[in-house]
Amino acid sequence: MTERSVYRQADDYDRRMSPYDPSAFPPFAVTVDLVVLTVRRHALCALVVRRGESPFQGRWALPGGFVRGDEDLETAAARELSEETGLGAHDPLSPMPGNTAHLEQLGTYGDPGRDPRMRVVSVAHLALSPDLPAPRAGGDANSARWAPVEVLLNKDGGFAREEEQPTQLAFDHARILADGVERARSKIEYSSLATAFCPPEFTVGELRRVYEAVWGVALDPRNFHRKVTGTPGFLVPSGGTTTRQGGRPAQLFRAGGANVLNPPMLRPEV
Amino acid sequence: MTERSVYRQADDYDRRMSPYDPSAFPPFAVTVDLVVLTVRRHALCALVVRRGESPFQGRWALPGGFVRGDEDLETAAARELSEETGLGAHDPLSPMPGNTAHLEQLGTYGDPGRDPRMRVVSVAHLALSPDLPAPRAGGDANSARWAPVEVLLNKDGGFAREEEQPTQLAFDHARILADGVERARSKIEYSSLATAFCPPEFTVGELRRVYEAVWGVALDPRNFHRKVTGTPGFLVPSGGTTTRQGGRPAQLFRAGGANVLNPPMLRPEV
DNA sequence: GCAAAAGTGTTTAGCTTACACCCATGA
DNA sequence: TCATGGGTGTAAGCTAAACACTTTTGC
């Protein structure tokens, strides 16, 4: 049987009519890729790892890996996230403090030829995490880092300032990253997801700087304060206050239970 | 080499460090499943096909099929849509009249065991179409039909009125359908997607009945009219009017170029 | 004329914005 | 006392909800 004939069977396969035949479909490799976003020094940053092998050797890429034969997609994504960052995936039904992150499916990328070695379908996931001290990646500290998305998405594939490393991402990861950033930008409008970028306790000012970094705009601190504290379920005061260097101490808050914001936060016009 | 050892290799595979080894990943079948929605007789309906084979023999299922070895995911979805309905996928960059539909990726479902025969990852797509005369499915007119989503999503798996057919969907298709319906419900709030349910020329009243059917609410016709005609880019008058049986003739409109509505349509509180 | 659906005008309430102003702390 | 960021008050302008009212057709 030629390879072509195998594929013909797959083409004509109809799951309503045909019995199961393991040779009747083309095999795919399935991976999960992660868009892990955080806010560092007032900039939206993504986790990238350096590729040590061809193709795209030396380029930055999104972290990811193969889905195991017996695990579901979200488990695979949570496992990769944990392996790359030490973060545990956050269960939205039981909000818990600690080293957790928001994790959701982003989209699936399966163009033939997106990986020159074989047919790979990648189920991309989006993870949002508070600022972490430093990424760890299998002991090789230099092979993983946070990079501002603005740099990574520079379409001309420019070089980072100090280093001579091209920032153009491997495979179709620039498109995946762009989709993830757009998802995050729109989703913090109508959901409480922005709190996933904050530590368990945070101030209104810290939350505002998250919005400003993700949207790339400046927001009026007075109106922002009134808005977020007035949106039911968004924030609950934790009782404490911060000590600051210059400036009145700020109230500390935790994320309220609400997942959807009503009314939504309004992103200023561009 | 045992199967277990093959899977261990996949577990430990790291795309940054390892060369390509075709035996180093578990093979998956990849399919596309379609949530095709339309509005018929004031109800939101989905296209379902009858399964002729085990598992879930006799049950309704979403249309779908295997992705070919050389086609990308969206092409596979458009091909399945065309095969099941005769609809061509609508290219959002070149809005054209005719027998087209909106098509977008919905999400990917890959739990082990979702198909008892093998490991299948399904990339679900959402299609929105105007009301069609009747579904066609490979000549067997009885094997495909429109069914109200309200009936299909009845969790207790009730029976349709006239027939003795259980309406509980096969596989995890109830969850996929529910996700597709929720996507459609939320997306017509802030995009012009509701026009995808309408023929090329339509009245404000027809568009309002789309919103009412998808959301399952009653809307004030006067405020709705002012709102949609006042939203820039949503509708453009085509010049004609309708003849009605009782009632003032209505202006005809086409979909304007805008994809995102500003201000958005507001879904009434539940 | 009457029913029915299309469209317009008007009022009221709520929300956003812009910005004046006050508060609490460290230096 | 001053700089700095936190937080409140308030008036103008916009939007949406409710609903009275007019328009245009078929019967």
Side-chain angles (χ1 to χ4, degrees), chain A residues 220 222-223 226-227 244 246-249 263-264 266:
Chain A
D220 185 303
R222 292 98 58 151
N223 291 333
R226 192 191 352 258
K227 175 97 183 199
R244 312 195 52 76
R248 171 175 168 178
L266 291 186

Short mmCIF file of all heavy atoms in Angstrom, two decimals, chain A residues 220 222-223 226-227 244 246-249 263-264 266, chain C residues 15-27:
data_model
loop_
_atom_site.label_atom_id
_atom_site.label_comp_id
_atom_site.label_asym_id
_atom_site.label_seq_id
_atom_site.Cartn_x
_atom_site.Cartn_y
_atom_site.Cartn_z
N ASP A 220 -6.21 57.52 34.07
CA ASP A 220 -6.39 58.48 35.16
C ASP A 220 -6.49 57.72 36.47
O ASP A 220 -7.41 56.93 36.67
CB ASP A 220 -7.66 59.30 34.92
CG ASP A 220 -7.83 60.40 35.94
OD1 ASP A 220 -7.85 60.08 37.16
OD2 ASP A 220 -7.93 61.57 35.56
N ARG A 222 -7.38 58.56 39.46
CA ARG A 222 -8.56 58.82 40.30
C ARG A 222 -9.77 58.07 39.77
O ARG A 222 -10.46 57.35 40.50
CB ARG A 222 -8.84 60.32 40.34
CG ARG A 222 -7.80 61.12 41.06
CD ARG A 222 -6.81 61.75 40.14
NE ARG A 222 -7.46 62.62 39.17
CZ ARG A 222 -6.89 63.68 38.62
NH1 ARG A 222 -5.65 64.00 38.94
NH2 ARG A 222 -7.52 64.42 37.75
N ASN A 223 -10.01 58.19 38.47
CA ASN A 223 -11.17 57.49 37.91
C ASN A 223 -10.98 55.97 37.95
O ASN A 223 -11.94 55.23 38.17
CB ASN A 223 -11.41 57.97 36.48
CG ASN A 223 -11.89 59.40 36.43
OD1 ASN A 223 -12.51 59.89 37.39
ND2 ASN A 223 -11.61 60.08 35.34
N ARG A 226 -11.89 54.72 41.44
CA ARG A 226 -13.33 54.67 41.68
C ARG A 226 -13.96 53.51 40.92
O ARG A 226 -14.81 52.79 41.42
CB ARG A 226 -13.97 55.99 41.25
CG ARG A 226 -15.39 56.16 41.70
CD ARG A 226 -16.07 57.36 41.04
NE ARG A 226 -15.15 58.17 40.28
CZ ARG A 226 -14.65 59.32 40.72
NH1 ARG A 226 -14.99 59.76 41.89
NH2 ARG A 226 -13.84 60.02 39.96
N LYS A 227 -13.49 53.32 39.69
CA LYS A 227 -14.07 52.29 38.84
C LYS A 227 -13.85 50.88 39.41
O LYS A 227 -14.79 50.10 39.56
CB LYS A 227 -13.45 52.39 37.45
CG LYS A 227 -13.88 51.32 36.51
CD LYS A 227 -14.99 51.78 35.63
CE LYS A 227 -15.45 50.65 34.75
NZ LYS A 227 -16.19 51.12 33.60
N ARG A 244 5.11 52.91 51.97
CA ARG A 244 5.65 53.37 50.70
C ARG A 244 6.83 54.30 50.96
O ARG A 244 7.00 54.84 52.05
CB ARG A 244 4.58 54.13 49.93
CG ARG A 244 3.25 53.41 49.85
CD ARG A 244 2.41 54.06 48.79
NE ARG A 244 3.15 54.14 47.56
CZ ARG A 244 3.37 53.11 46.75
NH1 ARG A 244 2.90 51.94 47.05
NH2 ARG A 244 4.08 53.26 45.65
N GLY A 246 7.54 57.70 50.27
CA GLY A 246 6.92 58.90 49.73
C GLY A 246 5.54 58.58 49.21
O GLY A 246 5.38 57.78 48.31
N GLY A 247 4.55 59.20 49.79
CA GLY A 247 3.20 58.95 49.34
C GLY A 247 2.37 58.29 50.42
O GLY A 247 2.86 57.59 51.30
N ARG A 248 1.09 58.51 50.32
CA ARG A 248 0.18 57.95 51.31
C ARG A 248 0.11 56.43 51.16
O ARG A 248 0.10 55.92 50.04
CB ARG A 248 -1.21 58.55 51.04
CG ARG A 248 -2.34 57.95 51.80
CD ARG A 248 -3.59 58.76 51.49
NE ARG A 248 -4.78 58.10 51.97
CZ ARG A 248 -6.01 58.62 51.83
NH1 ARG A 248 -6.16 59.80 51.24
NH2 ARG A 248 -7.05 57.99 52.28
N PRO A 249 0.08 55.69 52.28
CA PRO A 249 -0.03 54.23 52.18
C PRO A 249 -1.32 53.84 51.47
O PRO A 249 -2.34 54.53 51.59
CB PRO A 249 -0.05 53.77 53.64
CG PRO A 249 0.51 54.89 54.42
CD PRO A 249 0.17 56.14 53.66
N PRO A 263 -20.00 46.90 35.29
CA PRO A 263 -19.65 47.22 33.90
C PRO A 263 -18.19 46.89 33.60
O PRO A 263 -17.39 46.80 34.52
CB PRO A 263 -19.88 48.73 33.84
CG PRO A 263 -19.69 49.21 35.23
CD PRO A 263 -20.12 48.11 36.12
N PRO A 264 -17.86 46.73 32.30
CA PRO A 264 -16.48 46.40 31.95
C PRO A 264 -15.55 47.59 32.08
O PRO A 264 -16.00 48.74 32.14
CB PRO A 264 -16.60 45.96 30.49
CG PRO A 264 -17.79 46.68 29.97
CD PRO A 264 -18.74 46.78 31.13
N LEU A 266 -13.06 50.08 30.34
CA LEU A 266 -13.07 50.58 28.97
C LEU A 266 -11.66 50.94 28.54
O LEU A 266 -11.01 51.78 29.16
CB LEU A 266 -13.99 51.80 28.86
CG LEU A 266 -15.48 51.49 29.03
CD1 LEU A 266 -16.32 52.71 28.76
CD2 LEU A 266 -15.89 50.34 28.13
P DC C 15 -24.40 52.81 36.83
OP1 DC C 15 -24.50 51.37 37.09
OP2 DC C 15 -24.21 53.77 37.95
"O5'" DC C 15 -23.25 53.07 35.78
"C5'" DC C 15 -23.48 52.84 34.39
"C4'" DC C 15 -22.57 53.72 33.59
"O4'" DC C 15 -23.13 55.05 33.54
"C3'" DC C 15 -21.17 53.87 34.19
"O3'" DC C 15 -20.22 53.36 33.29
"C2'" DC C 15 -21.00 55.38 34.42
"C1'" DC C 15 -22.08 55.99 33.55
N1 DC C 15 -22.62 57.28 34.06
C2 DC C 15 -22.49 58.44 33.29
O2 DC C 15 -21.91 58.38 32.21
N3 DC C 15 -23.00 59.60 33.76
C4 DC C 15 -23.63 59.63 34.94
N4 DC C 15 -24.12 60.80 35.36
C5 DC C 15 -23.77 58.46 35.75
C6 DC C 15 -23.26 57.32 35.27
P DT C 16 -18.63 53.49 33.64
OP1 DT C 16 -17.99 52.33 33.01
OP2 DT C 16 -18.47 53.74 35.08
"O5'" DT C 16 -18.19 54.80 32.85
"C5'" DT C 16 -18.38 54.87 31.45
"C4'" DT C 16 -17.77 56.13 30.90
"O4'" DT C 16 -18.51 57.27 31.39
"C3'" DT C 16 -16.31 56.36 31.27
"O3'" DT C 16 -15.62 56.77 30.10
"C2'" DT C 16 -16.39 57.45 32.34
"C1'" DT C 16 -17.62 58.24 31.92
N1 DT C 16 -18.35 58.95 33.02
C2 DT C 16 -18.65 60.29 32.87
O2 DT C 16 -18.32 60.94 31.89
N3 DT C 16 -19.33 60.84 33.93
C4 DT C 16 -19.74 60.21 35.08
O4 DT C 16 -20.35 60.81 35.96
C5 DT C 16 -19.41 58.80 35.17
C7 DT C 16 -19.80 58.02 36.38
C6 DT C 16 -18.73 58.25 34.14
P DT C 17 -14.03 56.95 30.13
OP1 DT C 17 -13.53 56.56 28.80
OP2 DT C 17 -13.51 56.28 31.35
"O5'" DT C 17 -13.83 58.51 30.30
"C5'" DT C 17 -14.44 59.39 29.37
"C4'" DT C 17 -14.31 60.82 29.87
"O4'" DT C 17 -15.18 61.01 31.01
"C3'" DT C 17 -12.90 61.21 30.32
"O3'" DT C 17 -12.48 62.28 29.49
"C2'" DT C 17 -13.08 61.62 31.78
"C1'" DT C 17 -14.57 61.94 31.86
N1 DT C 17 -15.24 61.79 33.19
C2 DT C 17 -15.94 62.85 33.72
O2 DT C 17 -16.02 63.93 33.17
N3 DT C 17 -16.53 62.60 34.94
C4 DT C 17 -16.50 61.41 35.65
O4 DT C 17 -17.07 61.32 36.73
C5 DT C 17 -15.76 60.34 35.04
C7 DT C 17 -15.66 59.02 35.72
C6 DT C 17 -15.16 60.57 33.85
P DA C 18 -10.93 62.66 29.34
OP1 DA C 18 -10.67 62.89 27.91
OP2 DA C 18 -10.12 61.72 30.12
"O5'" DA C 18 -10.86 64.08 30.09
"C5'" DA C 18 -11.91 65.01 29.91
"C4'" DA C 18 -11.89 66.00 31.05
"O4'" DA C 18 -12.65 65.46 32.17
"C3'" DA C 18 -10.50 66.32 31.59
"O3'" DA C 18 -10.35 67.73 31.63
"C2'" DA C 18 -10.49 65.69 32.98
"C1'" DA C 18 -11.96 65.74 33.36
N9 DA C 18 -12.37 64.73 34.34
C8 DA C 18 -11.96 63.43 34.40
N7 DA C 18 -12.49 62.75 35.39
C5 DA C 18 -13.32 63.67 36.02
C6 DA C 18 -14.17 63.57 37.13
N6 DA C 18 -14.32 62.45 37.84
N1 DA C 18 -14.86 64.68 37.49
C2 DA C 18 -14.70 65.80 36.79
N3 DA C 18 -13.92 66.01 35.71
C4 DA C 18 -13.26 64.90 35.38
P DC C 19 -8.91 68.37 31.86
OP1 DC C 19 -8.83 69.57 31.02
OP2 DC C 19 -7.88 67.32 31.77
"O5'" DC C 19 -9.04 68.82 33.37
"C5'" DC C 19 -10.23 69.49 33.79
"C4'" DC C 19 -10.33 69.48 35.29
"O4'" DC C 19 -10.88 68.23 35.76
"C3'" DC C 19 -8.99 69.65 36.03
"O3'" DC C 19 -9.17 70.57 37.05
"C2'" DC C 19 -8.77 68.26 36.59
"C1'" DC C 19 -10.21 67.94 36.95
N1 DC C 19 -10.45 66.55 37.39
C2 DC C 19 -11.43 66.31 38.36
O2 DC C 19 -12.09 67.26 38.79
N3 DC C 19 -11.63 65.04 38.80
C4 DC C 19 -10.89 64.05 38.30
N4 DC C 19 -11.11 62.83 38.75
C5 DC C 19 -9.88 64.28 37.32
C6 DC C 19 -9.70 65.54 36.89
P DA C 20 -8.04 71.58 37.47
OP1 DA C 20 -7.97 72.57 36.38
OP2 DA C 20 -6.83 70.86 37.89
"O5'" DA C 20 -8.68 72.27 38.76
"C5'" DA C 20 -10.08 72.56 38.78
"C4'" DA C 20 -10.65 72.35 40.18
"O4'" DA C 20 -10.94 70.95 40.38
"C3'" DA C 20 -9.70 72.74 41.32
"O3'" DA C 20 -10.44 73.41 42.34
"C2'" DA C 20 -9.15 71.41 41.80
"C1'" DA C 20 -10.32 70.48 41.56
N9 DA C 20 -9.92 69.10 41.33
C8 DA C 20 -9.04 68.65 40.39
N7 DA C 20 -8.86 67.34 40.41
C5 DA C 20 -9.69 66.92 41.43
C6 DA C 20 -9.96 65.64 41.95
N6 DA C 20 -9.39 64.52 41.48
N1 DA C 20 -10.83 65.56 42.98
C2 DA C 20 -11.39 66.68 43.44
N3 DA C 20 -11.22 67.93 43.03
C4 DA C 20 -10.35 67.98 42.01
P DC C 21 -9.71 74.10 43.58
OP1 DC C 21 -10.63 75.13 44.07
OP2 DC C 21 -8.32 74.41 43.17
"O5'" DC C 21 -9.64 72.95 44.69
"C5'" DC C 21 -10.83 72.30 45.11
"C4'" DC C 21 -10.50 71.06 45.89
"O4'" DC C 21 -9.97 70.05 45.02
"C3'" DC C 21 -9.44 71.24 46.98
"O3'" DC C 21 -10.07 71.35 48.24
"C2'" DC C 21 -8.58 69.97 46.88
"C1'" DC C 21 -9.33 69.12 45.86
N1 DC C 21 -8.45 68.24 45.03
C2 DC C 21 -8.48 66.86 45.24
O2 DC C 21 -9.25 66.39 46.09
N3 DC C 21 -7.67 66.06 44.49
C4 DC C 21 -6.85 66.61 43.59
N4 DC C 21 -6.09 65.79 42.89
C5 DC C 21 -6.81 68.02 43.37
C6 DC C 21 -7.61 68.80 44.11
P DC C 22 -9.18 71.68 49.54
OP1 DC C 22 -10.03 72.50 50.41
OP2 DC C 22 -7.83 72.13 49.13
"O5'" DC C 22 -9.01 70.25 50.24
"C5'" DC C 22 -10.16 69.49 50.59
"C4'" DC C 22 -9.77 68.07 50.92
"O4'" DC C 22 -9.13 67.47 49.77
"C3'" DC C 22 -8.78 67.94 52.08
"O3'" DC C 22 -9.28 66.96 52.98
"C2'" DC C 22 -7.49 67.49 51.41
"C1'" DC C 22 -8.04 66.71 50.21
N1 DC C 22 -7.07 66.56 49.09
C2 DC C 22 -6.62 65.29 48.74
O2 DC C 22 -7.02 64.32 49.37
N3 DC C 22 -5.73 65.17 47.73
C4 DC C 22 -5.31 66.25 47.07
N4 DC C 22 -4.44 66.07 46.08
C5 DC C 22 -5.76 67.56 47.41
C6 DC C 22 -6.63 67.67 48.42
P DC C 23 -8.43 66.59 54.29
OP1 DC C 23 -9.40 66.17 55.33
OP2 DC C 23 -7.44 67.64 54.56
"O5'" DC C 23 -7.64 65.29 53.82
"C5'" DC C 23 -8.36 64.12 53.52
"C4'" DC C 23 -7.44 62.92 53.55
"O4'" DC C 23 -6.57 62.96 52.39
"C3'" DC C 23 -6.51 62.85 54.76
"O3'" DC C 23 -6.47 61.50 55.19
"C2'" DC C 23 -5.16 63.33 54.23
"C1'" DC C 23 -5.23 62.83 52.78
N1 DC C 23 -4.45 63.62 51.78
C2 DC C 23 -3.51 62.97 50.98
O2 DC C 23 -3.32 61.76 51.12
N3 DC C 23 -2.82 63.70 50.06
C4 DC C 23 -3.05 65.01 49.93
N4 DC C 23 -2.35 65.69 49.00
C5 DC C 23 -4.01 65.69 50.73
C6 DC C 23 -4.68 64.96 51.64
P DA C 24 -5.95 61.13 56.66
OP1 DA C 24 -6.78 60.00 57.13
OP2 DA C 24 -5.81 62.36 57.46
"O5'" DA C 24 -4.48 60.56 56.35
"C5'" DA C 24 -4.37 59.34 55.65
"C4'" DA C 24 -2.93 59.08 55.33
"O4'" DA C 24 -2.47 60.02 54.35
"C3'" DA C 24 -1.96 59.20 56.52
"O3'" DA C 24 -1.14 58.04 56.51
"C2'" DA C 24 -1.15 60.45 56.22
"C1'" DA C 24 -1.17 60.47 54.70
N9 DA C 24 -1.03 61.77 54.05
C8 DA C 24 -1.63 62.94 54.40
N7 DA C 24 -1.34 63.94 53.61
C5 DA C 24 -0.47 63.39 52.67
C6 DA C 24 0.18 63.95 51.56
N6 DA C 24 0.08 65.22 51.20
N1 DA C 24 0.97 63.10 50.83
C2 DA C 24 1.07 61.83 51.21
N3 DA C 24 0.49 61.19 52.24
C4 DA C 24 -0.27 62.04 52.92
P DT C 25 -0.40 57.56 57.83
OP1 DT C 25 -0.67 56.13 57.98
OP2 DT C 25 -0.67 58.52 58.93
"O5'" DT C 25 1.13 57.75 57.43
"C5'" DT C 25 1.68 56.89 56.45
"C4'" DT C 25 2.72 57.61 55.64
"O4'" DT C 25 2.26 58.88 55.17
"C3'" DT C 25 4.02 57.95 56.35
"O3'" DT C 25 4.92 56.88 56.23
"C2'" DT C 25 4.51 59.20 55.62
"C1'" DT C 25 3.39 59.51 54.62
N1 DT C 25 3.13 60.95 54.43
C2 DT C 25 3.68 61.57 53.35
O2 DT C 25 4.36 61.01 52.53
N3 DT C 25 3.38 62.91 53.24
C4 DT C 25 2.61 63.66 54.11
O4 DT C 25 2.41 64.86 53.91
C5 DT C 25 2.08 62.95 55.23
C7 DT C 25 1.24 63.67 56.23
C6 DT C 25 2.35 61.63 55.34
P DG C 26 6.33 56.91 56.95
OP1 DG C 26 6.78 55.52 57.16
OP2 DG C 26 6.24 57.84 58.09
"O5'" DG C 26 7.28 57.57 55.85
"C5'" DG C 26 7.45 56.90 54.61
"C4'" DG C 26 8.49 57.62 53.76
"O4'" DG C 26 8.01 58.95 53.43
"C3'" DG C 26 9.84 57.83 54.46
"O3'" DG C 26 10.85 57.76 53.47
"C2'" DG C 26 9.70 59.24 55.05
"C1'" DG C 26 8.85 59.95 54.00
N9 DG C 26 7.97 60.99 54.53
C8 DG C 26 7.19 60.90 55.66
N7 DG C 26 6.48 61.98 55.87
C5 DG C 26 6.82 62.83 54.82
C6 DG C 26 6.37 64.14 54.53
O6 DG C 26 5.56 64.82 55.15
N1 DG C 26 6.97 64.63 53.37
C2 DG C 26 7.86 63.95 52.60
N2 DG C 26 8.32 64.59 51.53
N3 DG C 26 8.30 62.72 52.86
C4 DG C 26 7.73 62.23 53.99
P DA C 27 12.39 57.80 53.87
OP1 DA C 27 13.08 56.89 52.93
OP2 DA C 27 12.51 57.62 55.32
"O5'" DA C 27 12.82 59.29 53.50
"C5'" DA C 27 12.75 59.71 52.14
"C4'" DA C 27 13.09 61.19 52.04
"O4'" DA C 27 12.01 61.97 52.61
"C3'" DA C 27 14.36 61.60 52.78
"O3'" DA C 27 15.13 62.47 51.95
"C2'" DA C 27 13.85 62.35 54.00
"C1'" DA C 27 12.56 62.96 53.46
N9 DA C 27 11.57 63.26 54.49
C8 DA C 27 11.20 62.46 55.54
N7 DA C 27 10.28 62.99 56.31
C5 DA C 27 10.03 64.22 55.72
C6 DA C 27 9.15 65.26 56.05
N6 DA C 27 8.33 65.22 57.10
N1 DA C 27 9.15 66.34 55.25
C2 DA C 27 9.98 66.39 54.19
N3 DA C 27 10.84 65.47 53.79
C4 DA C 27 10.82 64.40 54.61
#
